[in-house]
Amino acid sequence: MQNRQVIVIGGGMVGALTALLLAKQGDSIHLVEKTPCIHPLENEAFDLRVSAFSAQSKKLLELAGVWDLLPKNRLCAYQRLQTWEKGSQKLCFDSKEIGIDALGYLAENRWIQAVLWQALKTLNNVTFYDNRQVASIHNSDSGVSVNLDNNQQIQADLLIACDGANSALRQLLNIGITAWDYRQKCLLINIKTDSAQQNITWQEFRETGPCAFLPLAENNASLVWYHSPQKINHLKSLSNQQLKQVIVDEFPPLPFDFSVEDKGAFPLTRRHAQSYFKGASVLLGDAAHTINPLAGQGVNLGFKDVECLVDLLQNSSDLPIPVLLKRYECKRKPANLLMQSAMDLFYKGSKCELDSVRLLRKGILHLAQNSGVVKNKVMKYAMGL
Ligand SMILES: Cc1cc2nc3c(=O)[nH]c(=O)nc-3n(C[C@H](O)[C@H](O)[C@H](O)COP(=O)(O)OP(=O)(O)OC[C@H]3O[C@@H](n4cnc5c(N)ncnc54)[C@H](O)[C@@H]3O)c2cc1C
């Protein structure tokens, strides 16, 4: 068992999972979260922020002992995935083809966060500082000391920043980013359907951006509509009834009747930290990288960061912290960059005017659909297997 003092900044999905796994290894955890602790209710309406969790992410949540704490009426397994370019052949994946129960699971971010917090609250080596932020930091190779906004001071061997895409810690540590704006937004729309829970997720690529369907538990689902900021702002300004009519007229056909329950717009920005660590402080999850959400890989990449760092801390604990963090960076940075770039190839390929780029993309999809080996490899890679 380890007995390091570790500060985790940000108790979102990535930060809370890191805190829980390290606490279970015996480290003393100081978890600093800027918002008050959340307690979602099982009978509440579905939240707009949902994520698709890969089989690998599910395994990690099982290892942390929280998967079974998720209420069944907030979790949806999907067995099939279809993707196509408008007017072209569909690429279809089915979990049966590789002999597994589900390709992935959809759940609200806030429920994943809530069950992680529930488990953290049972441990006496975790100290919570919720509703708090870091005011200043002193960071060196040999340790970290932070002052919170209530003047409280915490000292530790290691600081793990999981404070999301606009990470204040990344800025306090003076770590730069490369970033670009896709000049697109996406509208998340929660709907209630008049049919039972779906087991398929799909995405149609269009020149204006993708349109996606994500099934949620029972007769709920989420639609994701990418378009220009002007169009998305217009759609967002409509009443739910008016928006339903536009979905019927312009979105890919939905095979059931539905009502629009909620909607919200998100900008699309790609960011990548130029370095993943400095001294004894390290970045994980969206604090280190954000990705185009079109393939639902954001939190799955964040969970792979967690798995990698926790494994290094457990199995290479004899190494000085900066050496260990360098190893983490060498493993995770190229992998995250590869996934960011692959998503951009698909995203830009579908919007590109150049016939050669569109043909390349169609060729990849055609090859994947018609070669069982390639298709199974793609499927397993996306699932993190
Ligand atoms: C529209 C959209 C759809 C998406 N869909 C998917 C999907 O289907 N699948 C998928 O895998 N990913 C998806 N993602 C990405 C996914 O939501 C993120 O990758 C994931 O939430 C990142 O988790 P995180 O814990 O790193 O950051 P966050 O979820 O942003 O959590 C950061 C936490 O830190 C706290 N915090 C912030 N600042 C401070 C501070 N200064 N001090 C203390 N605490 C602080 C916040 O309150 C929060 O609790 C999507 C993203 C978008 C925008």
Side-chain angles (χ1 to χ4, degrees), residues 9-15 32-35 49-52 106 109 113 132-134 162-165 168-169 186 188 214 266-267 284-287 293 296-300:
I9 309 290
M13 295 186 285
V14 170
V32 182
E33 165 57 48
K34 128 175 135 170
T35 60
R49 291 299 301 265
V50 300
S51 296
L106 279 145
N109 295 1
Q113 188 185 1
R132 287 277 156 255
Q133 293 190 59
V134 173
C162 309
D163 52 343
L169 255 293
C186 73
L188 303 184
L214 311 175
F266 294 86
L284 267 72
D286 275 21
Q297 288 296 330
V299 75
N300 294 303

Side-chain angles (χ1 to χ4, degrees), residues 141 277 279 312 319-330:
D141 283 0
F277 76 102
L312 283 166
L319 293 176
I321 290 282
V323 176
L324 197 142
L325 298 185
K326 181 73 192 164
R327 287 201 183 170
Y328 159 78
E329 181 182 74
C330 289

